[in-house]
Amino acid sequence: MESASIAADVSHEHDEHHGPPAPNVSSRVEAQFLGMLLFIISEIMLFGAFFTAYFFIRVVNDAPWFPFDGNELPVAVAGVNTAILVSSSFTMHWALEGARNDNHRAMKMGLFTTALLGLTFLTIQINEYFHIGFAISENAETTIFYSLTGLHGAHVFVGLTLLTFATIRAFRGHFSSKEHRGVEVPGIYWHFVDVMWIVVFSTVYIL
């Protein structure tokens, strides 16, 4: 009888623990937040490779960075564009605070305004390419200029895609003070895009 009871207990425990063990989930960092941080770290490394190429060209090349061959970088236009993109970080923060406080109007308007400012920035950047006066294949300087600014522009496009989905979900009432990860994660990415542009602008246009 005792052997049968032990066998039954073992069988019961086996049924309860069938399958893989439960994952070890940290209560301090959520998976979505950690995933976005790791992704941003990888993107910083990607930009770092391009900045390494940029500084290498600046150091080893005896020719001036800009202007050369009668071409100059549109610093004033890029400065206005920088102000537009930096202001979008404030509207993104406004949207996130609205989500955290169940202020749906602030959340919707913040997301929509952020997306609009981002689209304005990208439009001005593309227009700059059409009127800048030199091609990507002319020399190493023009290649790294288009590479760095184009890489950032691609990240802006990805950010706009995330913001578009977040805005659509906000107008459909998907977010609340208890569940707003869909606003916070795109916000983290958007702040990264803004900070990275400040670095690109300061390095490529100002230095």
Side-chain angles (χ1 to χ4, degrees):
M1 292 293 293
E2 185 176 352
S3 299
S5 176
I6 294 175
D9 291 341
V10 172
S11 176
H12 179 67
E13 291 178 1
H14 177 74
D15 292 338
E16 285 185 348
H17 296 285
H18 182 69
N24 183 17
V25 179
S26 172
S27 59
R28 296 182 180 180
V29 182
E30 294 185 6
Q32 299 91 333
F33 182 76
L34 180 61
M36 179 55 71
L37 288 182
L38 293 175
F39 174 73
I40 288 176
I41 291 172
S42 69
E43 293 301 287
I44 291 175
M45 295 173 66
L46 175 62
F47 273 97
F50 280 82
F51 276 114
T52 300
Y54 164 80
F55 284 112
F56 179 79
I57 292 172
R58 291 290 299 269
V59 170
V60 302
N61 199 342
D62 294 332
W65 169 240
F66 279 98
F68 61 84
D69 296 336
N71 294 312
E72 295 187 12
L73 294 179
V75 179
V77 175
V80 173
N81 221 15
T82 301
I84 292 173
L85 194 61
V86 170
S87 64
S88 69
S89 272
F90 293 97
T91 58
M92 187 68 238
H93 179 72
W94 177 35
L96 181 56
E97 286 300 308
R100 288 171 174 169
N101 296 286
D102 278 326
N103 187 343
H104 296 286
R105 182 176 181 276
M107 176 182 62
K108 294 174 185 177
M109 292 304 299
L111 285 171
F112 179 78
T113 306
T114 303
L116 185 62
L117 290 170
L119 181 62
T120 302
F121 171 88
L122 197 59
T123 302
I124 294 174
Q125 187 71 52
I126 294 173
N127 184 69
E128 177 184 308
Y129 287 162
F130 281 107
H131 296 89
I132 202 165
F134 53 83
I136 187 173
S137 58
E138 287 189 15
N139 49 52
E141 288 83 358
T142 59
T143 299
I144 196 62
F145 168 80
Y146 277 105
S147 297
L148 266 174
T149 57
L151 178 65
H152 180 268
H155 282 74
V156 173
F157 178 79
V158 172
L160 282 175
T161 303
L162 295 176
L163 287 174
T164 300
F165 283 114
T167 304
I168 293 173
R169 292 185 63 193
F171 276 90
R172 291 181 176 178
H174 288 186
F175 303 122
S176 66
S177 58
K178 295 182 179 179
E179 182 52 56
H180 52 267
R181 187 63 66 197
V183 178
E184 187 174 10
V185 171
I188 294 172
Y189 182 82
W190 193 253
H191 290 314
F192 159 74
V193 169
D194 288 0
V195 171
M196 192 53 64
W197 174 252
I198 294 175
V199 177
V200 173
F201 173 73
S202 301
T203 303
V204 175
Y205 288 86
I206 302 300
L207 294 182

